[in-house]
Amino acid sequence: MLTIGCHLSSSKGFAAMGRDALKIGANTFQFFTRNPRGSKAKDIDPLDVLKLQEIVSEHHFGMLLAHAPYTLNPCSADPSTREFALHTMADDLVRMEQLPHNYYNFHPGSHVGQGAEEGIRLIAAQLNEILKPEQTTTVLLETMAGKGTEVGRSFEELRAILDRVELCDKMGICLDTCHVHDGGYDLVNDLDGVLEEFDRVIGLSRLRAIHLNDSLNPRGAHKDRHAKIGEGHIGLDAITAIINHPALRTLPFFLETPNELPGYQEEIALLRSRYCE
């Protein structure tokens, strides 16, 4: 079965996200842990979490994916910015234990002129502070498009972070198709080759989730502009190959395309029609 969902608003609570997912034919979803541009997180209502867990269990949802705020930069040159990222991520991981055994995804950050090597060192140092042996949440590094001074623009940079993390069993990768395409990897003409390279550099066992997006830009543009499924430079045929690839088809897929719920519903139905059971 295809496990697919989209990004849902957490403003109405967890159970409401579960109900919204069902309405659009999804069997998983992604959500922000807090305002994506802010810092304050709402208190979690245990009853609300229980209602979501009932929905997840009854309808056989796949793993859920929480997304850290975009404002976090754990490899900033500014110590106060790094401290903000540290406290926010640490708090998020504590909160995630109320939804145990799920995923927490974050953008590695931008080294802002310090160089990728220093950025990698700082990201790993922060992960070594916040990861705990007892946590059930797996933290995912997201593949990035390589705009500006982003860290994570290549599989090698992500591997370099993982190599420095002490509790590496708590880590995984979320592959964003738009980002990887914009980063220069040829998903359209050489999907097998891209996955072989990922396996060689990082290991496919580390790949836990897919952000499934088309791209407004040609390959290698390093711009990160998401497009609706089939309306960009990746295209529907390549995306169909991705959801059916033996190395990927059992992973959870999360749409981050420029849509509202009706648009996501149409994309989910389209992708289900393209999935080979």
Side-chain angles (χ1 to χ4, degrees), residues 209-248:
I210 306 286
H211 280 163
L212 194 64
N213 307 299
D214 214 322
S215 174
L216 289 176
N217 297 294
R219 179 167 59 92
H222 301 294
K223 288 185 178 179
D224 183 13
R225 298 286 185 178
H226 295 195
K228 295 178 182 180
I229 299 299
E231 296 184 13
H233 286 266
I234 298 175
L236 181 58
D237 287 346
I239 289 172
T240 298
I242 289 167
I243 64 173
N244 285 292
H245 194 283
L248 307 177

Side-chain angles (χ1 to χ4, degrees), residues 111-267:
H111 63 72
V112 290
Q114 301 175 96
E117 184 175 348
E118 177 63 5
I120 288 164
R121 186 191 70 79
L122 289 168
I123 295 162
Q126 179 155 132
L127 288 166
N128 286 332
E129 269 200 75
I130 65 174
L131 295 178
K132 306 299 180 187
E134 65 273 14
Q135 74 182 54
T136 67
T137 302
T138 301
V139 176
L140 306 185
L141 295 165
E142 184 170 338
T143 58
M144 302 308 295
K147 65 181 187 294
T149 61
E150 282 180 338
V151 177
R153 65 180 59 215
S154 68
F155 299 156
E156 286 79 8
E157 287 190 357
L158 295 172
R159 176 56 190 265
I161 297 170
L162 293 173
D163 283 345
R164 291 163 171 79
V165 176
E166 293 161 6
L167 295 177
C168 204
D169 61 312
K170 304 296 183 184
M171 297 294 301
I173 301 293
C174 176
L175 187 150
D176 186 300
T177 55
C178 172
H179 294 177
V180 166
H181 167 86
D182 278 27
Y185 293 93
D186 193 354
L187 295 174
V188 177
N189 301 300
D190 191 20
L191 176 59
D192 283 339
V194 173
L195 294 177
E196 287 167 8
E197 184 173 353
F198 185 98
D199 193 33
R200 176 181 59 80
V201 175
I202 297 176
L204 281 168
S205 63
R206 292 280 182 197
L207 184 55
R208 303 299 179 85
I210 306 286
H211 280 163
L212 194 64
N213 307 299
D214 214 322
S215 174
L216 289 176
N217 297 294
R219 179 167 59 92
H222 301 294
K223 288 185 178 179
D224 183 13
R225 298 286 185 178
H226 295 195
K228 295 178 182 180
I229 299 299
E231 296 184 13
H233 286 266
I234 298 175
L236 181 58
D237 287 346
I239 289 172
T240 298
I242 289 167
I243 64 173
N244 285 292
H245 194 283
L248 307 177
R249 57 182 284 110
T250 60
L251 294 173
F253 294 89
F254 301 90
L255 296 163
E256 292 182 322
T257 51
N259 272 313
E260 302 295 334
L261 287 182
Y264 284 129
Q265 184 173 16
E266 291 176 3
E267 286 186 333

Side-chain angles (χ1 to χ4, degrees), residues 1-4 25 27 240 243-246 249-251 253 268-277:
M1 177 184 292
L2 178 64
T3 301
I4 189 165
N27 54 356
T240 298
I243 64 173
N244 285 292
H245 194 283
R249 57 182 284 110
T250 60
L251 294 173
F253 294 89
I268 289 169
L270 172 63
L271 291 165
R272 290 201 185 284
S273 74
R274 290 282 188 134
Y275 185 72
C276 299
E277 295 288 356

